[in-house]
């Protein structure tokens, strides 16, 4: 296997080799950049050996600096006759011969110069002659390796830190030989000392490509281009895969930043939900309980409405983010298996199919609208004239419009809602509907029921039922997504989409249920103010007790009827349990329900908390009512039998 270092080098090699010829020219040019102060000392040295040769030496040097090495050969030859053991003339004549194409003769003189004086200049010239004997020629690999050794020695001996020729050629040669360590060291020195050179930025671009620093590689090669590197070389370097990787990583970083910002948004929503809940509780504890509605109420309601709308919108914003994460995680896992070299086909198929199903269910949940049906059936006024009259009387007392429809259901709920367009609800022109579950009515006193009914009218008064479209829509979409995941068997620990759903459901319910608990507390105040805290406490206690009893008795009767293959008895006329153990169990459940603490997932405060909050309210002392709720109906027997048959039919269909 290729080790990581070699892997990085091989990945960058295709781009590197595209520009080697251009850099060879650069190496030649920069290796012979003339230092005139140093040149003056050289001429003084020659003058001491052969004064008459200085002018010829000067002219020859000017010729090679112009790139006319062939014309310089005769002049250097004259100097050589006068100073055959002077290393400088051996070096320059050798260089000129190599450039003129007489490589063998030139290399002999370059080696002779090193033998005479193992100076940095002589070592550099010999190394260059071995590695690149002419602008269009290159030495063998062995000669280049020998040249690299000589060049490192020359670089160590060079005392002129401003001379970039040594380190430039060293970077080029080590790159040519794929000696990454030497190349990294040479490039590092260029970067630290010679930022003004085009070669520095080119080599640093190559170094960055080796280290998979794609953005740095692109930036450096473009800088080299601005400083004179051939446009074709720049483009070929970028087109070798560098630019594509830069773009890919740029998008990857953008995606990571987006996901990070999204995650921070989730955390903020969770925190805001908790802060709002605490603020609401503090307000309910400290505000004047006899102020039924005021500026602070409206401020809190407005804040909740705004935050719920933001949280709802954030759910839909989160969908593409989660889809991206699902695809990214799945692709990463598959890619990881490919890198390892082992691809578990079954696991990959499971991951891929699971990701596709999750994405499908997520998108599908946004475009399928559930069929909205009214609960139960319409209760005609002649079936319960007393109930209709009571509902109108309570409406007048609390100062709001009465319900236009009453519907009865088999359960134990008492609730209200508005039916109509958004505009109709905003303009308070929608139809108002009261829902009464027959299962809660046994033993319900009219005085207590009236207080509960006032609580429900409080929601109309406070316009709680007018809005809430965003919350309802988001909850419905999350429920459809959850149902789709469960039906397709994707509600598993490893499914990222399912974990998002669980997490966001908790965040959203923390916020929306906090608003709901606030609405319930305000409605409690209104009911207790008009009809007394004791009446409302009795009504709420009855509601809790009857819900527990009815569910127990109805479940027991249905089970026994199905077991003995007989018809289900009237569920609303069943006697209480005969066994003492059952009595005790029901009583314990009732007390537990009353005394429990409020949880973040509750839509209503706990009964104990509600009783405590209304205990300080000064009531208007409305005269108490006598009688039981069933007395408000004229068709108790027919209604209860109808609902019992409906329950039995629904259970048999479900079974």
């Amino acid at each position: 296997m290729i080790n990581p270092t070699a892997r990085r080098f091989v990945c960058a090699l295709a781009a590197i080799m595209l520009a080697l010829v251009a850099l060879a020219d650069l190496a030649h040019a920069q290796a012979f950049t003339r230092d005139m102060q140093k040149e003056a000392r050289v001429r003084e040295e020659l003058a001491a050996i052969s004064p008459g040769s200085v002018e010829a030496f000067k002219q020859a040097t000017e010729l090679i600096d112009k790139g006319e090495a062939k014309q310089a050969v005769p002049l250097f030859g004259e100097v050589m006759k006068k100073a055959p053991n002077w290393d400088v003339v051996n070096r320059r004549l050798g260089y000129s011969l190599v450039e003129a194409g007489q490589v063998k003769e030139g290399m002999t003189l370059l080696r002779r110069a090193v033998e005479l004086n193992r100076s940095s200049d002589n070592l550099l010239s010999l190394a260059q002659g071995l590695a690149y004997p002419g602008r269009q020629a290159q030495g063998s690999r062995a000669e280049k390796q020998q040249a690299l050794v000589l060049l490192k020695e020359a670089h160590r001996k060079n005392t002129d830190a401003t001379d970039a020729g040594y380190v430039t050629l060293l970077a080029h040669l080590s790159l040519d030989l794929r000696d990454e360590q030497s190349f990294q060291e040479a490039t590092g020195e260029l970067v630290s000392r010679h930022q003004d050179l085009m070669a520095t930025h080119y080599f640093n671009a190559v170094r960055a490509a080796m280290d998979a620093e794609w953005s740095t590689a692109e930036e450096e090669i473009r800088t080299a281009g601005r400083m004179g590197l051939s446009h074709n070389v720049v483009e070929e370097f970028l087109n070798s895969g560098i630019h594509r990787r830069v773009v890919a990583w740029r998008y990857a970083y953008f995606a990571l930043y987006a996901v990070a910002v999204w995650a921070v948004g989730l955390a903020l929503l969770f925190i805001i939900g908790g802060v709002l809940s605490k603020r609401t509780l503090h307000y309910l504890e400290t505000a004047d309980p006899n102020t039924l509605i005021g500026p602070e109420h409206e401020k809190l309601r407005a804040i909740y409405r705004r935050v719920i709308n933001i949280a709802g919108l954030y759910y839909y914003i989160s969908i593409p983010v989660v889809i991206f994460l699902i695809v990214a995680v799945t692709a990463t896992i598959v890619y990881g298996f490919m890198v390892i070299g082992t691809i578990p086909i079954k696991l990959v198929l499971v991951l891929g199919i699971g990701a596709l199903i999750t994405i499908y269910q997520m998108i599908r949940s946004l475009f399928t609208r559930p069929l909205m049906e009214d609960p139960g059936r319409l209760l005609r006024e002649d079936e319960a004239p007393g109930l209709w009259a009571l509902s109108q009387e309570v409406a007048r007392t609390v100062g709001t419009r009465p319900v236009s429809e009453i519907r009865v259901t088999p359960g134990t709920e008492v609730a209200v809602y508005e039916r109509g367009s958004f505009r109709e609800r905003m303009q308070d022109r929608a139809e108002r509907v009261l829902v009464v579950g027959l299962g809660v009515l046994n033993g319900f006193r009219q005085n207590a029921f009236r207080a509960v009914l006032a609580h429900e009218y409080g929601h109309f008064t406070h316009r709680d039922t007018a809005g809430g479209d965003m919350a309802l829509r988001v909850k419905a979409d999350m429920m459809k997504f959850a149902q789709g995941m469960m039906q397709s068997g994707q509600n598993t620990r490893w499914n990222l989409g399912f974990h998002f759903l669980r997490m966001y459901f908790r965040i959203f319910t923390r916020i929306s249920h906090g608003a709901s608990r606030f609405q319930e507390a305000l409605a409690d105040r209104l009911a207790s103010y008009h009809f007394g805290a004791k009446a409302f406490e009795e009504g709420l206690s009855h509601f809790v007790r009857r819900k527990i009893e009815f569910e127990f008795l109805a479940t027991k009767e249905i089970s026994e009827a199905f077991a003995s293959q007989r018809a289900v008895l009237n569920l609303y006329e069943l006697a209480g349990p005969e066994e003492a153990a059952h009595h005790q169990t029901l009583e314990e459940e009732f007390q537990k329900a009353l005394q429990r603490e409020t949880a973040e997932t509750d839509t209503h405060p706990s009964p104990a908390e509600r009783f405590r909050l209304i205990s300080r309210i000064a009531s208007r002392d409305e005269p108490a009512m006598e009688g039981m709720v069933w007395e408000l109906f004229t068709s108790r027997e027919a209604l209860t039998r109808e609902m019992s048959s409906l329950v039995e039919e629904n259970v048999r269909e479900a079974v």
Side-chain angles (χ1 to χ4, degrees), residues 272-290:
I272 289 171
V275 170
L276 276 177
S277 181
K278 290 180 180 178
R279 178 176 174 180
T280 301
L281 181 60
H282 176 74
Y283 171 74
L284 293 173
E285 294 283 359
T286 58
D288 182 2
N290 296 298

Side-chain angles (χ1 to χ4, degrees), residues 134-357:
R135 293 178 183 272
Q136 303 298 325
Q138 295 191 33
S140 66
R141 182 169 183 80
E143 288 173 327
K144 288 181 179 180
Q145 289 174 335
Q146 181 185 357
L148 183 61
V149 174
L150 294 171
L151 190 55
K152 288 182 178 181
E153 182 183 350
H155 183 45
R156 288 194 300 271
K157 290 184 174 183
N158 178 43
T159 58
D160 186 0
T162 63
D163 189 348
Y166 294 88
V167 69
T168 299
L169 185 58
L170 180 58
H172 176 261
L173 184 55
S174 58
L175 178 60
D176 194 357
L177 289 171
R178 305 184 190 181
D179 183 342
E180 186 177 3
Q181 182 177 351
S182 297
F183 174 72
Q184 294 275 4
E185 292 172 355
T187 302
E189 184 174 340
L190 281 171
V191 170
S192 64
R193 295 183 178 180
H194 304 287
Q195 280 287 324
D196 58 329
L197 295 180
M198 176 260 285
T200 298
H201 298 282
Y202 175 81
F203 286 127
N204 199 37
V206 175
R207 192 277 315 159
M210 291 179 180
D211 293 337
E213 297 174 10
W214 311 116
S215 295
T216 301
E218 182 181 50
E219 181 181 347
E220 287 289 77
I221 198 67
R222 291 193 185 280
T223 300
R226 289 191 294 270
M227 297 178 72
L229 185 63
S230 167
H231 175 74
N232 291 336
V233 172
V234 173
E235 290 303 311
E236 288 179 3
F237 184 92
L238 293 174
N239 293 336
S240 67
I242 303 298
H243 182 66
R244 175 168 46 81
R245 287 180 171 89
V246 170
V247 172
W249 277 105
R250 190 173 295 150
Y251 281 116
Y253 283 127
F254 174 79
L256 288 174
Y257 292 146
V259 170
V261 171
W262 169 74
V264 170
L266 291 179
L268 285 175
L269 285 175
F270 184 79
I271 293 170
I272 289 171
V275 170
L276 276 177
S277 181
K278 290 180 180 178
R279 178 176 174 180
T280 301
L281 181 60
H282 176 74
Y283 171 74
L284 293 173
E285 294 283 359
T286 58
D288 182 2
N290 296 298
T291 302
L292 299 184
I293 198 76
E296 188 64 22
H297 297 88
E298 292 301 329
K299 183 178 179 181
L300 269 175
R301 287 159 58 85
I303 292 173
Y304 261 121
R305 186 162 50 248
R306 205 169 293 121
V307 173
I308 288 174
N309 287 336
I310 292 172
L313 180 63
Y314 207 81
Y315 173 75
Y316 297 111
I317 293 174
S318 299
I319 296 297
V321 178
V322 176
I323 290 175
F324 165 76
L325 288 175
I326 292 171
V327 173
V329 170
T330 304
T332 301
I333 293 173
V334 174
Y335 179 74
F337 285 131
M338 293 174 63
V339 171
I340 294 172
T342 302
I343 302 178
I345 302 299
K346 185 175 180 180
L347 178 58
V348 169
L349 286 175
V350 169
L351 289 173
I353 293 172
L356 291 175
I357 292 174

Side-chain angles (χ1 to χ4, degrees), residues 4 34 73 86 112 119 146 166 195 202 218 236 239 286 327 429 462 472 477 492 503 508 560 591 595 598 620 629:
R34 195 69 58 193
V73 170
W86 187 39
R112 169 70 175 159
S119 68
Q146 181 185 357
Y166 294 88
Q195 280 287 324
Y202 175 81
E218 182 181 50
E236 288 179 3
N239 293 336
T286 58
V327 173
R429 295 187 293 107
H462 301 152
L472 292 174
D477 287 349
T492 57
M503 174 186 65
F508 194 75
E560 291 176 355
Q591 293 299 329
Q595 301 302 324
T598 303
R620 291 179 54 198
V629 175

Side-chain angles (χ1 to χ4, degrees), residues 573-593:
E573 302 297 340
L574 298 174
E578 297 178 358
E579 298 88 346
H582 287 160
H583 276 292
Q584 182 178 355
T585 299
L586 292 178
E587 184 62 29
E588 288 175 355
E589 288 188 24
F590 171 64
Q591 293 299 329
K592 183 179 179 181

Side-chain angles (χ1 to χ4, degrees), residues 472-517:
L472 292 174
R473 171 72 183 267
V474 172
K475 286 182 179 178
D477 287 349
M478 284 195 288
M479 289 304 299
K480 285 181 292 179
F481 183 26
Q483 290 169 0
M485 293 292 283
M486 289 186 285
Q487 290 170 0
S488 57
Q490 295 301 314
N491 54 323
T492 57
R493 292 182 179 180
W494 53 264
N495 193 297
L496 183 62
F498 184 66
H499 282 300
F500 159 73
L501 180 63
R502 292 173 62 245
M503 174 186 65
Y504 206 88
F505 184 80
R506 181 181 178 188
I507 292 173
F508 194 75
T509 54
R510 190 183 202 199
I511 297 171
S512 60
H513 288 188
S516 176
R517 291 193 298 272

